[in-house]
Amino acid sequence: FEYLPVEFALDVEHPSPTTRTTQESVALYFRNQNLTVSEVVCVINTGLHDMIISKDTATFLQNVRSYFHILDPVCGNFVWLGISHVRGDEEHPQNNDAIASWNTAVAVFLENEYPTKSYVIDVWKQGLNTTHGDNVHYSDTSYYKALASLFQRLMKGGSSV
C-alpha cells in the first residue's frame, strides 16, 4: 500500500524531469512499480485546497477530469473519497454549498465516464456529526477512525462495509 499525498486536482507542486504536473508524476510512479493495472486501486480526494484557488465548479471538474484521465492507464479502479463537510468559517474559502456542488459533479462525472471502475465514498454525514478543530480539520478523531476502519475492512476483503 502506498500513500501519495496530492493536494490539488491539477498542480505543478511535484513535477519530475519527465513530467509537468504532480498528477503526471503519480501516474509515472505507478507505471514504474511494474504492477498490473488490476492490482492498483487509486483512492482519490481533492477539493479543500482547490477552493483556495477557485470555487468554480466547472474549473474544478475540468481539473478532476484531467486527473482521472492521467491516472486511468495505471489505476485498475478508482475510489473517490468525497470532500468532507467544513465548519463554514466565513474568513476561509471552503464552504459547504460549494463542496456539495463539487461532490455531486464528481459523482456524476464518475458514473458517466468510469461506471465500472469507480466507487464513491460519501463522507458528508459523518462530517456533520464531528467536531471541527478549525474550518477543515476535525478535532474529534471519530471521523478519521471510521475512515480507517472502513479501509481496513476493504483491504482485508470485507464484503460488508
Side-chain angles (χ1 to χ4, degrees):
F1 304 104
E2 298 280 342
Y3 174 71
L4 304 173
V6 177
E7 294 185 346
F8 297 91
L10 187 61
D11 69 66
V12 293
E13 286 189 342
H14 299 287
S16 76
T18 59
T19 62
R20 296 174 298 125
T21 68
T22 301
Q23 294 69 21
E24 290 172 354
S25 296
V26 169
L28 177 65
Y29 174 82
F30 282 125
R31 264 192 298 281
N32 290 337
Q33 297 306 302
N34 295 320
L35 299 169
T36 62
V37 172
S38 63
E39 294 176 294
V40 180
V41 176
C42 294
V43 179
I44 302 167
N45 167 268
T46 186
L48 292 175
H49 289 98
D50 297 87
M51 283 191 178
I52 296 168
I53 299 168
S54 169
K55 287 190 195 114
D56 180 61
T57 301
T59 300
F60 176 69
L61 190 57
Q62 178 182 346
N63 292 342
V64 167
R65 179 177 279 114
S66 173
Y67 190 8
F68 276 85
H69 288 172
I70 289 167
L71 291 177
D72 186 34
V74 296
C75 296
N77 286 288
F78 294 118
V79 176
W80 171 258
L81 184 63
I83 308 167
S84 56
H85 179 272
V86 297
R87 187 166 61 191
D89 299 351
E90 295 209 9
E91 67 270 17
H92 295 285
Q94 300 88 353
N95 72 71
N96 292 314
D97 289 339
I99 290 169
S101 174
W102 287 16
N103 278 334
T104 299
V106 173
V108 169
F109 156 71
L110 290 172
E111 179 62 30
N112 289 333
E113 294 205 28
Y114 298 103
T116 61
K117 69 180 276 184
S118 67
Y119 305 87
V120 174
I121 298 176
D122 184 349
V123 297
W124 190 263
K125 287 182 184 174
Q126 182 71 25
L128 288 173
N129 300 316
T130 308
T131 305
H132 283 82
D134 61 28
N135 192 49
V136 298
H137 301 99
Y138 298 111
S139 58
D140 178 351
T141 59
S142 66
Y143 174 88
Y144 303 108
K145 287 179 181 177
L147 273 179
S149 175
L150 171 67
F151 280 103
Q152 285 175 334
R153 290 191 316 263
L154 288 170
M155 289 185 293
K156 289 179 183 174
S159 59
S160 60
V161 284

